[in-house]
Amino acid sequence: MDEKGGIFLSRESRKRLEYILSHYLELPKEFVLDLPRITIVGDVQVLVENHRGIIEYTPEKLRVSTSIGELQIEGMGLALRCIQPDEIGVDGKIRSVTLLE
Amino acid sequence: MFLRNFWAYVLGYLVLFVRGGHPERFINLALTRGIVLWDLVRLDRETLLVKVYARSFRQLRHIARRANCRIRIRMKRGLPFYLYRLRRRRVLVAGGFIFCAIVYALCSFVWTVDVVGARRISPETIRRMAAEAGLRPGVLKYKVDGNYVADHLMQRLPGVAFVEVDVKGRAVIRVGERVVAKSETNPCHVIAGKDGVIESLLVLVGSPRVKEGDVVKKGDVLISGIIRPSPGEKSQVRYVAAKGIVRARVWYRSYGEALLSEIKEEKTGRKAKIISLKLCDKEIIIKGPAQIPYRFYRLKVKRLKIPKWREITFPVEFATIEAEEYRRVWVKRSEEEALRLAMERASRQMAELLPEGAAVVRRYWKPVVGGDSGLEAVVLTVETVEEIGVRREFRPKEREQSNDTR
């Protein structure tokens, strides 16, 4: 708590509180903490939920902006199967999925 | 995936080329406006292939301008575009409708009239009579009243027991002919239809072969149709249709038993219905529980299959399974109760054995002793007096050759 009292917390402590809350209430963390949820299906498909837009897209490389940084997917013949405000589906031969902070 | 493709087809979608320095910017702008894009493929450094719903194309133009991209439509796909194209080919559409109309119109006629079951009456006659009542090839189906035609045929055709008329494209008339009793002039015997002891014999025509008190077996000749001249008389052997009333004592026996304790199955009245769709080897349950929730049950299964067409069986099957729950009940009976039940069962069996018109003279019960101790069994014997004579034709010549031993 800071000197003003009440619910105005610093950014760091608010994050910690949210984490503890979600941990105890067993809420899905991707919603409470605004984290991306990344699903990889074999080496053929990647689903990114809760993204914040596309930074770069070529058939060999896809960079997606998320709340915790940048998600980089490398592979061959990447195609964006669907793009919705909260979900991106990527098809193709996936070689690597990297989180860049 | 499938659903989206379906909606895309119904609503219509466009395949676009997006050209420009930063297609990513275009994508992000589309995202923030809530425009759905799919199947994005980067063809080269500058071009992007995008699919988009036709209705959001206008917005997309605006976005393209802001993202410094140019868009070009490569293909228009889906139902709206297809219908639009069809508008220019009205004759084709009209042809489709006319085809359906013709098929429907042809379906409403009676094309042929089949007659089933006619043996003595010629099918031609029946067809002619049906035509009088309105059923003939070429008439409209709904103008024919099947019941009226059936009534008409019943009235006009003698010797017909029933008529059923099925009005379809291939109309079917089912006829049942009455079996007419054979003429009574043919020579015949009266034979015993059952085993028994002759009680009374009244010969109207023919010569008696048995007398009162005789034991006869089924098939024995009671009154012969062969009349031989009495000794000394000079006349030929005559063959007549024997006639007479032969009454005999006949015995029937039935058996009933009841266990002192047994497990019975009883309906509880609860039912479960499962409707499932079978595709190849997979079974998809559309309605009802995945498993039958009872311990004891009986199943009624109805399967609906798409009929085979040219050796191709469709791997689709529609099944309705109905499970009725049963309860197992342990029944205990006292010896008296068991005996009563056994008697009841024996009389029920007897009721089926006894012919109509048989006068019951005596009935007696006999318990079966010995054997299983957990069982009460009883034998019911009924004695009746009834007519046992049955007419049977014979051929005089053969009889003569075999010396009429009967």
Side-chain angles (χ1 to χ4, degrees):
Chain A
M1 298 238 177
D2 59 10
E3 59 221 339
K4 285 175 191 160
I7 55 167
F8 300 103
L9 305 174
S10 72
R11 193 177 161 79
E12 291 303 306
S13 45
R14 206 171 70 200
K15 279 260 164 180
R16 266 189 58 208
L17 189 68
E18 276 177 354
Y19 183 83
I20 291 162
L21 208 71
S22 76
H23 192 78
Y24 276 97
L25 297 178
E26 289 179 9
L27 294 167
K29 296 203 175 40
E30 68 264 24
F31 293 122
V32 180
L33 306 174
D34 194 27
L35 295 174
R37 183 193 182 99
I38 301 154
T39 317
I40 305 172
V41 183
D43 63 346
V44 293
Q45 197 176 44
V46 179
L47 285 166
V48 186
E49 285 166 63
N50 227 348
H51 68 90
R52 291 200 174 154
I54 287 167
I55 300 164
E56 189 194 347
Y57 167 53
T58 64
E60 287 79 37
K61 193 201 237 175
L62 174 70
R63 281 155 67 209
V64 182
S65 161
T66 69
S67 61
I68 51 160
E70 203 177 280
L71 178 75
Q72 182 179 293
I73 299 161
E74 281 179 310
M76 269 161 59
L78 298 181
L80 295 165
R81 193 53 62 208
C82 69
I83 292 197
Q84 274 155 21
D86 57 345
E87 192 183 326
I88 294 178
V90 187
D91 278 12
K93 167 93 180 147
I94 311 288
R95 199 170 291 139
S96 76
V97 178
T98 326
L99 270 172
L100 309 168
E101 290 199 41
Chain B
M1 209 62 183
F2 167 78
L3 209 67
R4 214 209 28 224
N5 286 342
F6 173 76
W7 277 116
Y9 182 77
V10 170
L11 297 171
Y13 66 95
L14 305 168
V15 184
L16 304 175
F17 277 131
V18 180
R19 282 220 171 82
H22 282 284
E24 290 90 354
R25 194 167 144 71
F26 172 82
I27 296 169
N28 284 333
L29 277 170
L31 271 179
T32 50
R33 297 282 166 91
I35 296 168
V36 181
L37 307 173
W38 72 91
D39 283 1
L40 295 94
V41 180
R42 187 108 184 212
L43 296 177
D44 55 59
R45 277 201 61 226
E46 292 209 317
T47 12
L48 189 70
L49 202 67
V50 175
K51 284 182 189 170
V52 69
Y53 285 117
R55 58 169 179 207
S56 41
F57 181 67
R58 211 178 281 264
Q59 276 178 289
L60 222 55
R61 279 216 115 103
H62 190 66
I63 289 165
R65 204 174 303 135
R66 280 187 55 186
N68 261 331
C69 293
R70 278 171 294 123
I71 50 177
R72 219 184 71 215
I73 296 169
R74 193 177 159 223
M75 260 183 254
K76 293 172 179 177
R77 283 184 185 162
L79 211 56
F81 298 113
Y82 185 69
L83 290 177
Y84 184 78
R85 253 172 281 157
L86 269 187
R87 257 183 16 194
R88 296 196 197 154
R89 308 192 57 182
R90 281 183 201 172
V91 180
L92 182 76
V93 179
F97 278 110
I98 289 168
F99 171 77
C100 292
I102 288 174
V103 168
Y104 181 78
L106 292 182
C107 280
S108 57
F109 285 109
V110 173
W111 287 92
T112 59
V113 177
D114 293 348
V115 177
V116 178
R119 270 183 230 146
R120 283 182 300 110
I121 308 165
S122 83
E124 277 314 311
T125 323
I126 294 173
R127 266 192 215 113
R128 212 178 51 241
M129 300 247 171
E132 278 172 27
L135 178 62
R136 65 177 152 266
V139 295
L140 285 172
K141 252 194 285 190
Y142 58 84
K143 282 206 172 163
V144 180
D145 183 359
N147 291 333
Y148 173 72
V149 176
D151 285 347
H152 183 79
L153 288 176
M154 280 293 272
Q155 279 171 16
R156 296 293 304 275
L157 291 169
V160 161
F162 80 93
V163 178
E164 192 183 51
V165 177
D166 205 351
V167 181
K168 289 187 294 194
R170 297 192 61 169
V172 179
I173 301 175
R174 267 179 278 272
V175 176
E177 286 176 9
R178 209 176 286 144
V179 180
V180 179
K182 285 177 186 147
S183 75
E184 302 198 344
T185 51
N186 288 348
C188 62
H189 296 304
V190 172
I191 62 161
K194 282 167 187 166
D195 296 359
V197 174
I198 304 294
E199 181 81 6
S200 68
L201 187 71
L202 176 63
V203 181
L204 300 172
V205 183
S207 56
R209 285 292 174 86
V210 288
K211 57 183 187 297
E212 275 149 32
D214 279 4
V215 178
V216 293
K217 280 202 169 152
K218 187 178 175 179
D220 287 354
V221 176
L222 305 174
I223 304 169
S224 172
I226 303 163
I227 301 174
R228 296 178 170 284
S230 46
E233 208 175 318
K234 269 208 122 186
S235 65
Q236 286 234 298
V237 176
R238 281 197 303 133
Y239 301 105
V240 294
K243 213 169 161 187
I245 299 164
V246 184
R247 291 170 71 79
R249 262 170 210 277
V250 182
W251 285 268
Y252 295 92
R253 194 168 282 179
S254 72
Y255 172 77
E257 64 176 26
L259 290 164
L260 287 180
S261 71
E262 76 182 308
I263 294 163
K264 255 171 96 175
E265 288 193 339
E266 232 174 51
K267 275 187 199 175
T268 58
R270 280 195 292 177
K271 275 183 196 172
K273 208 172 177 186
I274 301 170
I275 299 171
S276 68
L277 188 72
K278 205 173 166 190
L279 292 166
C280 296
D281 291 332
K282 271 187 199 165
E283 207 165 4
I284 302 157
I285 289 157
I286 296 169
K287 207 182 146 202
Q291 269 183 339
I292 294 150
Y294 311 132
R295 211 171 137 215
F296 303 109
Y297 54 85
R298 299 235 166 110
L299 291 178
K300 266 185 232 162
V301 181
K302 265 186 231 159
R303 285 181 193 283
L304 205 76
K305 268 191 182 173
I306 297 170
K308 218 162 127 177
W309 179 75
R310 288 197 184 173
E311 297 302 310
I312 301 166
T313 38
F314 292 91
V316 185
E317 200 179 284
F318 203 68
T320 315
I321 300 163
E322 218 178 66
E324 263 185 300
E325 196 191 13
Y326 277 79
R327 184 168 43 202
R328 290 208 170 163
V329 187
W330 183 271
V331 183
K332 278 205 161 184
R333 301 187 184 92
S334 69
E335 278 176 24
E336 205 174 305
E337 276 174 330
L339 190 66
R340 205 178 303 139
L341 188 66
M343 283 165 81
E344 209 176 281
R345 282 174 182 169
S347 8
R348 212 174 301 147
Q349 200 187 332
M350 180 56 71
E352 280 170 28
L353 285 175
L354 284 181
E356 269 181 70
V360 176
V361 180
R362 258 206 302 175
R363 58 165 67 213
Y364 40 89
W365 300 93
K366 198 175 153 201
V368 178
V369 273
D372 232 329
S373 57
L375 191 80
E376 287 288 330
V378 78
V379 172
L380 170 64
T381 311
V382 169
E383 190 183 317
T384 64
V385 172
E386 63 186 276
E387 163 88 60
I388 61 162
V390 175
R391 296 162 67 94
R392 187 198 277 168
E393 282 187 46
F394 67 95
R395 288 224 187 106
K397 280 237 162 125
E398 283 172 26
R399 292 284 95 189
E400 232 168 16
Q401 275 164 3
S402 61
N403 257 351
D404 65 278
T405 38
R406 270 203 178 169

